[in-house]
Amino acid sequence: MSDSDDDIPRLSAATLAALREFYAEQQCDPSEEAAPVDKFSVGAVQEDWRMSQFWYSDETAERLAEELAHEAGKGGRIACLSTPSVYQKLKQQAVDASVVLLEYDSRFSVYGDEFIFYDYTNPLCLPAHINGQSFDIVIADPPYLSQECLSKVALTVKFLSKGKVFLCTGAIMEDDAAKLLGVKVCSFLPKHNRNLANEFRCFVNYPSRLDS
């Protein structure tokens, strides 16, 4: 996948310096044993900002997971498209719904059959067992802030969703999001573990509890 660097969500200068320091410390102490980590905890798989990965804060992931579970309903189906931290929180909450994660990063294949390799540049290249309009709600967070990326992700979302769409992306994408997916911004402000220079917002095409 290739996009202009301008399309990648940007880390603030302070966060970028802290992240570089963290990577340096990890390389200096390779023999140090890490404490056991719940495989479904947010951050169990470390984000790689070089792949435009920025995990939501634990509070944001929890709120989004609760929203998705409520909208999917008991026994519903949820598709998490490029939103691994939300998938992880849904699994931690043991929601009464089936969940799949569509993600480019193969490290998430540790989640077995619930992991589906996804490359937004081939938006409809999905396994045969994934049927169209088979998910009660789809959440998506396109990896790049560009119309080209969002337009392709939108094809996947429309294929998967029975109707309800939840999009999390940069505020600058509001007009494109409305045109491509018919979504409107809601009042809830998503937060990330790293401070990003870009303003992020949530967009929905249904009455959301996150607006209350």
Side-chain angles (χ1 to χ4, degrees), residues 18-203:
L19 189 58
R20 285 173 174 161
E21 181 179 353
F22 169 78
Y23 281 141
E25 290 174 352
Q26 292 294 100
Q27 292 173 357
C28 288
D29 298 308
S31 62
E32 186 174 335
E33 293 186 5
V37 176
D38 175 2
K39 73 173 183 176
F40 291 122
S41 65
V42 176
V45 176
Q46 292 183 7
E47 63 188 7
D48 186 343
W49 57 273
R50 294 165 296 185
M51 293 178 64
S52 192
Q53 290 180 338
F54 306 100
W55 302 160
Y56 299 125
S57 69
D58 199 68
E59 179 182 1
T60 290
E62 184 171 353
R63 288 289 302 279
L64 299 188
E66 290 172 352
E67 171 74 4
L68 296 174
H70 177 267
E71 294 300 328
K74 186 176 181 180
R77 301 188 73 207
I78 302 170
C80 296
L81 200 161
S82 301
T83 54
S85 51
V86 176
Y87 165 83
Q88 290 167 330
K89 187 57 66 174
L90 283 163
K91 298 300 291 185
Q92 278 194 324
Q93 293 178 353
V95 298
D96 188 7
S98 61
V99 190
V100 297
L101 172 64
L102 294 92
E103 171 61 45
Y104 182 79
D105 189 344
S106 61
R107 291 180 296 168
F108 291 100
S109 62
V110 296
Y111 297 135
D113 293 340
E114 291 182 343
F115 168 81
I116 298 169
F117 175 77
Y118 174 71
D119 182 347
Y120 84 86
T121 63
N122 292 294
L124 298 180
C125 183
L126 300 170
H129 70 275
I130 300 298
N131 297 318
Q133 289 75 55
S134 60
F135 290 89
D136 295 282
I137 188 166
V138 178
I139 182 172
D141 187 342
Y144 300 103
L145 304 180
S146 71
Q147 185 185 55
E148 182 267 345
C149 180
L150 180 57
S151 64
K152 291 183 177 180
V153 168
L155 291 175
T156 313
V157 171
K158 290 177 180 178
F159 174 79
L160 296 173
S161 177
K162 292 180 180 179
K164 292 180 182 178
V165 173
F166 193 109
L167 177 70
C168 193
T169 189
I172 62 171
M173 303 303 297
E174 182 173 359
D175 290 342
D176 289 320
K179 293 175 184 177
L180 293 166
L181 288 168
V183 292
K184 296 181 179 180
V185 67
C186 65
S187 58
F188 178 74
L189 294 175
K191 303 295 183 183
H192 293 79
N193 280 331
R194 312 287 181 182
N195 293 321
L196 300 183
N198 313 81
E199 180 186 358
F200 270 70
R201 299 302 298 264
C202 294
F203 304 85

